[in-house]
Amino acid sequence: MIHIRNHQEIELIRKNALMVTATLTEVANFLKPGITTASIDKMAEEFILDNGGTPSFKGYHGYPYALCISVNEVVVHGFPGTYELKDGDIVSVDCGFYKNGYHGDHAYTFAIGDVNPETLKLLRVTKECLFLGIAQAAANNRVGDISYAVENYANKIHGYGVVRELVGHGVGRDLHEDPQVPNYGHRGSGKRLQEGMVIAIEPMINLGTRDVYTLDDGWTVVTADAKPSAHFEHTVVVRKGKGEALSNFAPIEAAEQANTELNSSHWLAHAVV
Ligand code: MF3
Ligand code: CO
């Protein structure tokens, strides 16, 4: 069943989506080569709890952590652990924040240090896919219009693999609600979008082929060809006839930028010494 949210509900979801933004901004400031993915999860979980929320993912179908942290060829649902980030990695961080009966759900893929240009382009294009999808999340459009916009840009224009096994979704009182929002499909197909619907749009785009498989832990999804994969996600409302992101990349991008400059000045200082 698809839920239509009223103004008050939308504002509660917006607050939570922006708390995910705040959490991912903390992550952006924290990232550097040498830290473990478990340390990112710990920091984020403390931040969420300190702000009166609970991590939406922890315990969801038995998922054991606050964040999904997916490095390089890991597409989504990577477990935080002892892996230490290194220069040239990309790391997708997906986070949910639950408070007052509603969820926010939002993800960003970060570059660690010097990432090769081919992979940086994958990050840029995947982010653009998300915004093309949001532009289609207009009242009276259909879910397939979002799906087509993402697939067309990622695959037809850029030749990337579009993951099909995982999809975006309605989000609200439950983390995953109707409708499903695939990143591939046909224009004019699927459920009609209506004022007050809240959905998570989340393109998962591979540098190589679209094929993926799940590791024996039952969660970690990796590319079959071991090439990198990117993931960007916003919680989006259909409001005033248009798709409007409730979460926000701007603070995350500002922190990412500042952190990159800080880390490169460290390198410079080392080089001088
Ligand atoms: N944003 C992801 C999704 O919507 C994260 C879910 S992780 C889970 O599928 F652990 F909660 F399943
Ligand atoms: Co999601």
Side-chain angles (χ1 to χ4, degrees):
M1 172 190 173
I2 295 182
H3 297 275
I4 301 299
R5 303 298 178 187
N6 64 31
H7 177 73
Q8 191 191 340
E9 293 174 299
I10 291 166
E11 292 313 307
L12 288 174
I13 298 171
R14 186 196 304 276
K15 271 193 189 161
N16 294 338
L18 289 174
M19 283 312 303
V20 181
T21 297
T23 309
L24 293 177
T25 303
E26 293 291 309
V27 170
N29 285 318
F30 189 75
L31 288 176
K32 61 178 175 194
I35 65 166
T36 66
T37 54
S39 74
I40 304 168
D41 184 67
K42 183 169 184 286
M43 182 279 291
E45 183 168 9
E46 284 170 8
F47 183 82
I48 291 166
L49 296 172
D50 284 350
N51 284 282
T54 52
S56 303
F57 301 170
K58 199 168 184 175
Y60 185 82
H61 291 276
Y63 186 79
Y65 301 98
L67 302 181
C68 300
I69 305 186
S70 306
V71 179
N72 296 334
E73 76 281 6
V74 181
V75 179
V76 285
H77 302 167
F79 282 0
T82 56
Y83 179 80
E84 292 176 6
L85 294 179
K86 61 178 194 317
D87 190 67
D89 283 344
I90 60 167
V91 54
S92 131
V93 180
D94 192 349
C95 178
F97 186 99
Y98 181 76
K99 190 174 178 176
N100 296 323
Y102 294 90
H103 295 274
D105 183 13
H106 160 46
Y108 195 91
T109 305
F110 298 93
I112 305 298
D114 240 344
V115 169
N116 73 59
E118 196 185 29
T119 305
L120 284 178
K121 185 180 164 198
L122 172 71
L123 299 187
R124 175 175 62 78
V125 170
T126 305
K127 197 190 272 186
E128 288 167 354
C129 282
L130 171 55
F131 288 106
L132 291 170
I134 294 170
Q136 291 300 320
N140 296 318
N141 269 8
R142 290 182 182 267
V143 169
D145 294 313
I146 300 172
S147 309
Y148 174 83
V150 172
E151 184 185 27
N152 183 63
Y153 190 65
N155 183 260
K156 302 290 184 313
I157 298 185
H158 290 287
Y160 294 144
V162 176
V163 175
R164 297 192 173 199
E165 285 76 359
L166 300 126
V167 296
H169 50 90
V171 55
R173 285 203 165 272
D174 290 314
L175 178 62
H176 291 158
E177 298 181 349
D178 282 342
Q180 292 198 356
V181 184
N183 295 302
Y184 65 96
H186 299 287
R187 274 183 283 201
S189 72
K191 299 267 167 62
R192 192 177 289 281
L193 297 163
Q194 291 175 65
E195 194 73 13
M197 280 174 61
V198 181
I199 56 176
I201 303 181
E202 47 180 320
M204 289 152 265
I205 307 296
N206 299 345
L207 187 63
T209 68
R210 69 175 173 83
D211 302 322
V212 299
Y213 64 96
T214 304
L215 300 187
D216 286 342
D217 63 22
W219 282 99
T220 312
V221 178
V222 300
T223 58
D225 60 12
K227 290 186 179 173
S229 182
H231 178 216
F232 289 86
E233 176 178 22
H234 270 318
T235 296
V236 175
V237 63
V238 182
R239 186 166 166 267
K240 298 182 184 165
K242 292 194 186 126
E244 175 190 337
L246 295 175
S247 39
N248 182 8
F249 285 155
I252 303 169
E253 286 166 344
E256 184 183 37
Q257 182 69 29
N259 189 16
T260 304
E261 279 160 20
L262 188 74
N263 282 327
S264 59
S265 70
H266 281 183
W267 286 119
L268 226 57
H270 284 294
V272 171
V273 173

